[in-house]
Amino acid sequence: MIKQAIIPLAGLGTRLLPLTSVFPKELLPINGKPGIEYILDECIHAGIKEIIFIISKKKEMIRDYFYNDHFYKKIIKKKKDPRILKEYRKILKYKKMIKFVYQNKPLGTGDAVLKTKKYIRNKFFLMLLPDDLIMKNNCSKSMISVHKQYKSCVMASMNVKKKTVSRWGIYKLDRKLDNKNYLIKDVIEKPSIKEAPSNQAVIGRYILPKKIFSELLKQKPGKGGEIHITDAIQKLIYNEDKFIAHNFTGKYLDCGSMQGYINSTLEISKL
Ligand code: UTP
C-alpha cells in the first residue's frame, strides 16, 4: 500500500526569478490557487495519508502558509464568509497531513530525498516534483494501480522533442507490458542529443522503493555537481530492480520555467 508521499521543495527556483527572489515558487498562484495545492489534491485523491515536504530555511514561508489557521479563525469570527470558511477547512486538512523536513543546502534531488529516510515506513512511497502539474487525470492514482498490478517501481513518462532531451531524465525502454506501460532498461540524467537513448522523458511522479536510501547514501555528485535521484534509480535498475515507465494520460504543464508558468494559468483556465 502506498500511503506516504514526499515532495522536494528546497530548490532555488532560479528559472522563475524575479518572482522567486523572496517568494517560494510553489506558493505562486496558478489560476487563482497556489501551485502546491494542485499537487496536494492529487495526493489526497490518490489515497495518500501522509505527505512529507522537504523545505529549507529560506522557504519557511511554505510552512507558514499551512500553519496560519489562527488568522483564518479570527477573520471568520468577524466575517461570516462561507468562501473563507471553506478555505480554512481546506488548510486545516492539509496541515494535518503534512510533515516538514529540512534540506538547507540544495545539493540535488537525491540529497533532498535522503532527508526523509527516517520517516518512510512502508516498502514503497510516492514522490512528486511540484513543478510538474498533470491535469485532467490523476497521474499518481494511475501509477499506484500500475504498482499494484506489476508489483514494481513506477515513473511517469512522456514523449519530448529530441532537441530538448538534455533538459530531462531520458529512458531506454525494454519491452512493452501493455498500452501505457514499458519496462525500463536504463535512465540517463540530462543526456546530450547524441547520448539520449530515446525521447521518452521522466516526468515528476515516482513510486520508489525504501531501499533507494541505501543507494543514495553511497552516491557521489553527478551532472552539475548535484546528487540526482535519477542516478540512484539507474543503480537500482542495474541491480535488477523492476522499474516501469508509465505513459500517463492527462495534460502536462511545466510550471518551473517562466514561459511554462505563465502558460499554466492560461491552460488551466480553459479546462
Ligand atoms: P529543479 O532543479 O528542477 O528546480 O528541482 P529548482 O532547483 O527549484 O529550480 P531552478 O532550476 O533553479 O529554476 C526539481 C525539484 O526538486 C527540488 C526543487 O524544489 C524542485 O521541486 N529540489 C531540487 C530540492 O528540493 N532540493 C535540491 O537540492 C534541488
Side-chain angles (χ1 to χ4, degrees), residues 2-271:
I2 309 249
K3 293 290 163 204
Q4 287 180 296
I6 69 167
I7 306 181
L9 301 145
L12 299 176
T14 53
R15 287 168 297 155
L16 287 185
L17 280 169
L19 303 181
T20 46
S21 103
V22 291
F23 208 72
K25 64 177 166 187
E26 298 80 7
L27 294 181
L28 290 173
I30 298 174
N31 197 37
K33 164 166 155 177
I36 190 66
E37 290 194 12
Y38 292 94
I39 300 285
L40 288 172
D41 293 345
E42 180 177 329
C43 286
I44 292 168
H45 294 133
I48 295 296
K49 302 291 177 210
E50 184 183 70
I51 300 163
I52 305 174
F53 276 18
I54 305 129
I55 60 167
S56 66
K57 283 203 184 106
K58 283 187 198 142
K59 295 180 89 171
E60 281 285 8
M61 213 189 265
I62 297 176
R63 195 170 190 280
D64 296 344
Y65 180 79
F66 294 99
Y67 274 76
N68 213 9
D69 42 299
H70 54 279
F71 172 70
Y72 282 85
K73 248 187 180 167
K74 266 196 249 163
I75 303 288
I76 290 162
K77 258 190 197 164
K78 280 194 223 147
K79 267 186 173 185
K80 305 260 174 285
D81 183 336
R83 191 190 70 85
I84 300 178
L85 185 64
K86 203 170 147 206
E87 289 297 325
Y88 166 68
R89 290 197 176 126
K90 191 176 69 179
I91 291 288
L92 275 188
K93 181 176 79 179
Y94 291 149
K95 182 185 169 185
K96 270 193 198 145
M97 300 181 74
I98 306 170
K99 256 202 181 104
F100 292 86
V101 299
Y102 286 79
Q103 183 206 28
N104 287 324
K105 280 191 195 148
L107 300 177
T109 46
D111 180 68
V113 172
L114 204 44
K115 305 292 179 198
T116 66
K117 182 172 177 279
K118 63 176 181 206
Y119 302 101
I120 298 297
R121 289 186 296 271
N122 298 332
K123 265 189 165 171
F124 294 91
F125 60 96
L126 174 70
M127 173 166 86
L128 303 95
L129 298 184
D131 284 356
D132 291 347
L133 290 193
I134 299 169
M135 308 303 295
K136 297 212 287 197
N137 184 54
N138 190 322
C139 181
S140 296
K141 194 171 175 184
S142 307
M143 284 171 56
I144 290 172
S145 301
V146 174
H147 163 75
K148 272 190 201 151
Q149 187 185 349
Y150 291 103
K151 311 215 168 0
S152 70
C153 301
V154 187
M155 293 155 79
S157 166
M158 186 181 81
N159 220 310
V160 296
K161 290 201 176 94
K162 191 85 189 167
K163 63 175 187 217
T164 69
V165 287
S166 62
R167 282 176 26 204
W168 312 84
I170 297 289
Y171 297 115
K172 181 173 187 179
L173 297 175
D174 201 335
R175 67 190 166 87
K176 186 175 177 175
L177 295 170
D178 58 57
N179 258 351
K180 293 203 169 66
N181 301 297
Y182 289 79
L183 266 183
I184 301 169
K185 209 174 201 170
D186 201 354
V187 61
I188 301 163
E189 181 66 17
K190 300 187 172 65
S192 64
I193 296 179
K194 254 188 172 173
E195 279 174 316
S198 74
N199 51 354
Q200 284 297 121
V202 181
I203 302 299
R205 302 289 183 277
Y206 307 71
I207 293 177
L208 297 172
K210 198 177 176 176
K211 67 171 156 177
I212 200 156
F213 294 116
S214 40
E215 220 37 80
L216 285 167
L217 280 170
K218 290 185 269 178
Q219 203 174 304
K220 302 249 156 56
K223 288 212 171 105
E226 289 191 14
I227 299 183
H228 298 286
I229 192 68
T230 319
D231 294 340
I233 292 169
Q234 186 184 50
K235 286 273 155 54
L236 291 179
I237 294 171
Y238 291 174
N239 288 335
E240 310 282 308
D241 272 279
K242 197 165 136 190
F243 274 76
I244 290 174
H246 174 68
N247 276 324
F248 59 91
T249 47
K251 181 148 190 67
Y252 169 70
L253 300 169
D254 166 21
C255 305
S257 68
M258 191 57 91
Q259 201 45 55
Y261 170 66
I262 294 166
N263 191 40
S264 60
T265 287
L266 299 174
E267 289 293 338
I268 292 179
S269 69
K270 284 193 261 172
L271 295 178

